[in-house]
Amino acid sequence: MPKDKLLIVDDEHEIADLISLYLENEGFQVFKFYNAVDAFQCTQTENIDLAILDVMLPDMNGFQLYQQIRETHHFPIIMLTAKGEGMDKITGLSLGADDYMTKPFQPLELVARVKAQLRRYKRYNADPKQEEGVIVHSGLVLDIKAHSCTLNGKPLSLTPTEFSILQILCQKKGSLVSAEELFRLIWKDEYYTKNNNTITAHIRHLRDKMGDSYEHPKYIKTVWGYGYKIED
């Protein structure tokens, strides 16, 4: 069975080397770089399954690298931020990053998050013959077989996380879904805390792509203190 290919980019050699060691011990094939330019070139020549990007890089910041990668690839991306850099987390999530971790962190926790993201990504990109169904709602068409989404005939470019959130809300159309439930359905083996803004950031990014409004939503409605719903 082919090994999953992981991209690691961090200019702190000790951290990059440590992450690589742990992931290689788990059976992953690791491509490690200390700068953004070489890392981006790797994404053009290798079929990367997941990337771990540090925010602070010598040639460009991790957010710029993230945006370059997202122009052509939709594999999961985990951002690494420095301790106390709260705006980095917000920026990363608002761009659509799938997860983030704050330095210093436990390598085993990072390994667990990598595995969780890969499991979800593989479900998202599963053999279409294994899945059925097309969800249609007010001009929104979610094709589960093709893992594609259109709105009023125009394709929406969604990350795996955004597709998963929209699919869950559409499948539970008319029902309220809490942020905690969304989080646990998507990241099955991670812990949710009340101050976790991951789902909020992804919902905001989804609304931006759909041209939806928080104040007067046509699709995703926020019920303050309870969660989200798509009206039946």
Side-chain angles (χ1 to χ4, degrees):
M1 183 176 179
K3 295 181 178 181
D4 288 319
K5 296 182 178 181
L6 308 186
L7 174 68
I8 298 172
V9 193
D10 197 316
D11 65 336
E12 295 185 68
H13 290 217
E14 290 184 0
I15 292 178
D17 295 347
L18 181 64
I19 295 172
S20 297
L21 178 63
Y22 271 83
L23 292 172
E24 286 170 349
N25 285 341
E26 292 293 325
F28 296 111
Q29 182 177 356
V30 175
F31 296 86
K32 177 179 60 179
F33 298 94
Y34 306 118
N35 65 79
V37 171
D38 291 340
F40 180 73
Q41 183 60 38
C42 178
T43 67
Q44 306 306 296
T45 57
E46 297 289 342
N47 293 320
I48 298 299
D49 295 292
L50 179 144
I52 300 170
L53 312 181
D54 186 31
V55 172
M56 299 300 295
L57 296 171
D59 43 356
M60 70 174 75
N61 67 48
F63 302 132
Q64 292 171 311
L65 176 58
Y66 171 91
Q67 290 175 310
Q68 286 190 5
I69 292 174
R70 275 289 179 256
E71 289 179 3
T72 52
H73 299 285
H74 295 285
F75 51 74
I77 296 179
I78 299 175
M79 303 295 298
L80 302 181
T81 67
K83 184 177 181 180
E85 295 296 327
M87 285 304 299
D88 283 348
K89 297 177 186 178
I90 295 171
T91 301
L93 290 171
S94 65
L95 286 174
D98 297 280
D99 202 355
Y100 67 85
M101 290 197 71
T102 302
K103 297 178 181 179
F105 53 82
Q106 292 295 326
L108 288 176
E109 181 183 355
L110 177 59
V111 170
R113 294 196 183 198
V114 165
K115 290 180 177 179
Q117 289 292 336
L118 286 171
R119 282 196 297 272
R120 185 169 55 81
Y121 182 57
K122 288 176 181 178
R123 288 198 302 271
Y124 176 83
N125 290 282
D127 184 349
K129 295 179 181 178
Q130 301 296 319
E131 300 185 20
E132 298 180 354
V134 175
I135 301 171
V136 180
H137 175 70
S138 298
L140 179 68
V141 179
L142 216 63
D143 190 329
I144 307 303
K145 284 185 176 182
H147 301 288
S148 65
C149 181
T150 61
L151 182 60
N152 298 322
K154 297 181 180 180
L156 294 181
S157 180
L158 304 181
T159 66
T161 300
E162 292 162 357
F163 188 94
S164 295
I165 290 173
L166 196 55
Q167 180 180 343
I168 291 167
L169 291 176
C170 285
Q171 288 172 334
K172 295 178 177 288
K173 187 167 58 177
S175 300
L176 192 63
V177 186
S178 69
E180 179 177 0
E181 183 179 357
L182 281 170
F183 191 93
R184 287 179 173 161
L185 285 170
I186 296 170
W187 293 278
K188 295 182 183 298
D189 53 355
E190 296 182 26
Y191 293 98
Y192 179 86
T193 58
K194 289 185 178 180
N195 62 354
N196 191 315
N197 63 357
T198 303
I199 295 297
T200 302
H202 286 297
I203 291 285
R204 183 171 62 248
H205 207 54
L206 255 177
R207 284 192 176 118
D208 288 342
K209 290 184 177 183
M210 297 172 70
D212 208 8
S213 165
Y214 172 83
E215 293 81 7
H216 306 287
K218 182 178 180 180
Y219 297 99
I220 303 174
K221 179 180 180 181
T222 299
V223 181
W224 185 251
Y226 293 94
Y228 306 93
K229 67 185 299 186
I230 289 179
E231 299 286 5
D232 200 350

